[in-house]
Amino acid sequence: MLNIVVCVSGGGTNLQAIIDNIENKNIRNTQIRGVICNNAGAYALKRAENAGIPAFCISPKVYGSREEFNQAFLQKLQELAPDLIVLAGFLVILPEQMTKLYENRIINIHPSLIPSFCGKGYYGLKVHEAALARGVKITGATVHFVDEGTDTGRIILQKAVEVLEDDTPESLQRRVMEQAEWVILPQAISQLASGGDL
Ligand code: GAR
């Protein structure tokens, strides 16, 4: 059994895709031990609650310093003892201590074809705004291992998505989620759960 912890910050549609794919057995042999969220108002917390998954809000706002927040976050992770940590729309940069401790055991979904439109400052809608501003005709999503850099770890899966003439950042974001993110994130977890390299 692969025990996973899913880290989220916002709407949690990628979390939902994982929950649904475990339920319909596209992902086998996997259990979500817990969901960790850095944002108290995130709908992702509600999705976890609806699915009966223990959810924990660890917000930097509650702690006196970044160091204290990092320690609280690490402590919660260690309590949950996951085999794999899944960053599913988690907009916090992980401290190096954590990426070292969980080397090759943290994966992230990013809404572009890395190495395009990734790295510091490229997250959420900003990624799609940049893709439209550059005029690319193809974009997509990437699942990759997390190392000490931002979006620099080894790539596991990618899926391309066509950019349409009349796309807005919002319409493009939605299509990338539907056609790529909600497909390849569950697929990557499934691969790792059935004995792929961790
Ligand atoms: C997703 O598009 C995810 O790829 C992106 O945030 C969104 C979260 O949506 N992540 C990043 O940009 C990370 N750099 P969700 O909360 O509905 O899953």
Side-chain angles (χ1 to χ4, degrees):
M1 179 66 75
L2 186 77
N3 288 303
I4 67 174
V5 164
V6 184
C7 299
V8 293
S9 297
T13 63
N14 279 287
L15 167 65
Q16 192 66 54
I18 300 168
I19 293 170
D20 293 347
N21 278 278
I22 290 176
E23 206 164 286
N24 69 22
K25 300 196 164 31
N26 277 334
I27 303 176
R28 290 175 184 274
N29 227 10
T30 300
Q31 173 187 319
I32 306 179
R33 274 265 171 97
V35 167
I36 299 179
C37 182
N38 65 314
N39 167 14
Y43 188 67
L45 284 168
K46 183 87 189 137
R47 292 181 191 273
E49 189 195 312
N50 290 344
I53 299 166
F56 308 92
C57 176
I58 301 180
S59 163
K61 290 185 188 151
V62 172
Y63 298 92
S65 67
R66 198 70 190 177
E67 186 50 32
E68 283 175 57
F69 163 72
N70 286 343
Q71 280 317 314
F73 182 32
L74 186 57
Q75 194 181 326
K76 181 54 72 187
L77 275 176
Q78 287 179 322
E79 272 169 39
L80 294 168
D83 302 309
L84 179 72
I85 299 164
V86 179
L87 308 184
F90 189 56
L91 304 182
V92 171
I93 306 264
L94 300 188
E96 201 173 318
Q97 184 195 11
M98 204 176 285
T99 54
K100 285 230 165 78
L101 197 61
Y102 292 98
E103 199 176 359
N104 291 325
R105 291 199 290 144
I106 311 175
I107 65 171
N108 178 50
I109 178 83
H110 182 77
S112 75
L113 293 173
I114 291 175
S116 290
F117 311 113
C118 65
K120 220 166 170 236
Y122 286 102
Y123 58 87
L125 211 54
K126 288 181 193 295
V127 176
H128 306 290
E129 285 165 359
L132 289 178
R134 187 65 182 83
V136 295
K137 303 301 175 205
I138 300 285
T139 185
T142 303
V143 181
H144 64 92
F145 283 106
V146 174
D147 63 11
E148 63 286 357
T150 305
D151 302 327
T152 51
R154 181 157 52 93
I155 290 172
I156 304 169
L157 288 173
Q158 292 191 298
K159 192 165 190 290
V161 173
E162 196 182 347
V163 179
L164 302 182
E165 200 68 13
D166 58 353
D167 261 330
T168 60
E170 289 79 10
S171 67
L172 185 56
Q173 179 180 51
R174 181 77 194 176
R175 187 162 350 91
V176 168
M177 283 176 158
E178 283 174 356
Q179 294 184 6
E181 296 186 46
W182 302 340
V183 178
I184 62 173
L185 185 57
Q187 199 180 327
I189 296 169
S190 172
Q191 264 173 227
L192 295 170
S194 57
D197 275 350
L198 267 187

